Amino acid sequence: MGLTSRSLVYTVGFAAVLCVALMVWVWPRLARRNLLSVFGRLGAILLTQLMIITTVLLAVNSSLGFFGTWDQLLGRVDKAPVNVYEQVPANGPAAMVQESKDGLVQPTGDEGLSHVGGIPRGPEDRTGRVDSVRIVGRRSQAINPAYVYLPPQYFQPQYRRARFPVMVVISGYPGGRKSVAQHLKVPETAAKLLADHKMQPTIVVMLSPTIAQPRDTECVDVPGGPQAETFFTKDLPEALRSAYRVGHDATAWGVMGYSSGGTCSLELAMRAPEVYPVAASLSGDYKLDNDIATGNLFGSGEQGKQNKREHDLMWRLENKPVPRVSVLVTTSRRGEKNYDATEKFLKAVKGPMKAATIILPEGSHHFTTWRREIAPVMQWTSEQLTFPQDVQDLPKKK
């Protein structure tokens, strides 16, 4: 059984209930005052609590998708081979992901997708499609699972030459693509906005900010460690362009996220505006710090201190050339810790940078708040992107 399968949760849950029932039944027999009975009572308590805790952890993991497979849980993750790059044109309205073993975008099967509510189901040219894939980083040597939403227009004949704009949506930590799809409801929201003509046809890529589970890499190129920024600014665009009809120019690319994914989005836009000139942050922060989940992100010595300053967005606004980007930030006057920092950030923004905001009267650092914001955030992002950005040549008939 898969790590995120409901059958595993139900099986372990049933075992936990059985353990509780058995403990109640045998407890009178273990009430004697001898060493064997004492060990028996301890063993019964430990086994019962272990089964209950395991059931809870499996249910939480199944819901939030922290670890998608047993190999991820045990740390047995694939490492990308050095020479995996293969440029594959995606021609035609029903172009598929490159399925070569050495492709940069590799299909992964269902991977929990069938359990996500709101996923488009039906004819692709009417409802669109969501692919479950893994993105292979040629430079970073990282592999990051992703869901890719393709709008209905991607499969319609009149758009067969069009290259589509891209929204990269980054989850918080811990989290992942399933959190973006199921709890933030990004595919469902995209389909509704398209149907209401509030968003242009867009490819939406959903993934985690970390490329070295369970470490929180925070979209940073760690000295001597995981190269997360390289993955997002170089590997991810390259991989998507090799497999899908996506825009070549940066004007077709935007990035957004919630919590630490929102922080990553702002960092990527301000550090690599030539890649992501549009960014939206739902309850994100404006600087990065080391903690128990990240470890040392910046290195040591003076260079480490400088690296940390470079990831402080307020410091960048004061000490670096202001990038030509458009950003949207969200917060709440009550209930969110980033309200004061957001106000300071907005006051520090100056041309050619542009900023927009959503400030709720009351909210929380939770999906209940972010689900209120995601539709206007996606609509705003779509308005900043160019479509059709460019077109590809059709293959010549022989």
Side-chain angles (χ1 to χ4, degrees):
M1 289 180 283
L3 183 59
T4 60
S5 68
R6 293 183 181 179
S7 57
L8 177 63
V9 177
Y10 294 153
T11 300
V12 177
F14 176 78
V17 172
L18 186 61
C19 284
V20 172
L22 287 174
M23 186 177 72
V24 172
W25 184 68
V26 303
W27 193 260
R29 303 187 181 191
L30 299 175
R32 299 183 183 90
R33 295 184 179 181
N34 56 57
L35 192 60
L36 185 61
S37 295
V38 171
F39 280 117
R41 291 196 294 272
L42 288 174
I45 293 171
L46 289 175
L47 178 61
T48 302
Q49 294 204 0
L50 177 63
M51 294 304 298
I52 293 172
I53 292 171
T54 301
T55 301
V56 172
L57 291 177
L58 285 172
V60 171
N61 184 69
S62 178
S63 175
L64 299 180
F66 296 150
F67 299 95
T69 65
W70 291 104
D71 283 341
Q72 288 181 3
L73 177 65
L74 299 174
R76 297 197 298 259
V77 294
D78 293 335
K79 292 187 177 180
V82 175
N83 245 18
V84 296
Y85 178 70
E86 183 177 351
Q87 189 75 19
V88 180
N91 294 319
M96 298 294 290
V97 175
Q98 157 64 2
E99 297 189 10
S100 162
K101 181 181 179 181
D102 294 331
L104 298 180
V105 177
Q106 302 175 355
T108 58
D110 183 80
E111 290 283 330
L113 198 56
S114 60
H115 299 309
V116 177
I119 292 293
R121 308 188 193 280
E124 295 172 342
D125 60 349
R126 294 183 182 180
T127 63
R129 186 181 79 201
V130 177
D131 291 338
S132 176
V133 301
R134 60 179 189 172
I135 308 294
V136 179
R138 187 165 64 91
R139 299 169 184 81
S140 62
Q141 295 295 285
I143 297 177
N144 201 349
Y147 291 150
V148 180
Y149 168 79
L150 302 171
Q153 291 80 0
Y154 191 86
F155 306 97
Q156 295 171 2
Q158 63 267 37
Y159 291 95
R160 67 187 183 277
R161 295 181 60 213
R163 296 187 184 276
F164 290 76
V166 180
M167 289 185 195
V168 176
V169 186
I170 305 174
S171 75
Y173 177 88
R177 58 183 181 170
K178 191 172 181 181
S179 296
V180 175
Q182 180 167 313
H183 300 291
L184 196 58
K185 299 186 180 298
V186 164
E188 182 179 343
T189 303
K192 188 176 188 305
L193 289 172
L194 278 170
D196 294 340
H197 305 289
K198 293 181 178 180
M199 188 176 90
Q200 57 189 338
T202 303
I203 292 174
V204 184
V205 184
M206 298 156 270
L207 70 177
S208 166
T210 181
I211 61 170
Q213 292 281 6
R215 183 179 182 180
D216 181 11
T217 52
E218 291 279 357
C219 299
V220 173
D221 278 352
V222 180
Q227 302 295 287
E229 184 174 351
T230 294
F231 175 85
F232 280 97
T233 58
K234 293 185 172 66
D235 291 337
L236 179 61
E238 177 186 58
L240 294 174
R241 287 175 178 132
S242 76
Y244 296 102
R245 301 196 312 276
V246 298
H248 283 175
D249 192 81
T251 58
W253 288 71
V255 60
M256 70 175 71
Y258 66 87
S259 189
S260 58
T263 306
C264 277
S265 299
L266 293 178
E267 293 274 346
L268 292 171
M270 292 185 67
R271 291 174 59 84
E274 73 283 358
V275 181
Y276 300 109
V278 177
S281 171
L282 284 68
S283 304
D285 293 321
Y286 302 93
K287 64 178 181 178
L288 297 179
D289 290 305
N290 294 325
D291 58 35
I292 192 170
T294 65
N296 188 345
L297 292 172
F298 312 110
S300 58
E302 288 302 316
Q303 185 58 53
K305 293 178 182 178
Q306 180 60 26
N307 290 341
K308 186 174 182 179
R309 284 192 289 269
E310 295 272 352
H311 286 278
D312 183 328
L313 301 186
M314 293 296 293
W315 182 90
R316 294 188 71 88
L317 285 173
E318 295 171 1
N319 297 276
K320 292 280 188 178
V322 178
R324 188 178 295 276
V325 296
S326 296
V327 300
L328 184 154
V329 294
T330 80
T331 186
S332 305
R333 288 188 177 87
R334 294 192 305 275
E336 294 199 66
K337 295 181 179 179
N338 75 330
Y339 174 72
D340 290 338
T342 299
E343 290 287 287
K344 292 178 182 178
F345 176 79
L346 291 170
K347 290 178 181 177
V349 169
K350 52 192 174 184
M353 185 175 175
K354 297 179 180 179
T357 185
I358 295 175
I359 299 180
L360 300 178
E362 186 173 355
S364 62
H365 199 77
H366 192 265
F367 287 106
T368 53
T369 295
W370 300 326
R371 280 194 293 267
R372 293 177 61 192
E373 300 167 338
I374 188 60
V377 167
M378 293 183 72
Q379 183 176 346
W380 176 88
T381 303
S382 178
E383 291 169 355
Q384 315 305 310
L385 305 180
T386 305
F387 175 74
Q389 194 266 324
D390 50 16
V391 295
Q392 67 176 21
D393 294 330
L394 293 175
K396 295 181 179 179
K397 295 182 179 180
K398 295 183 179 179

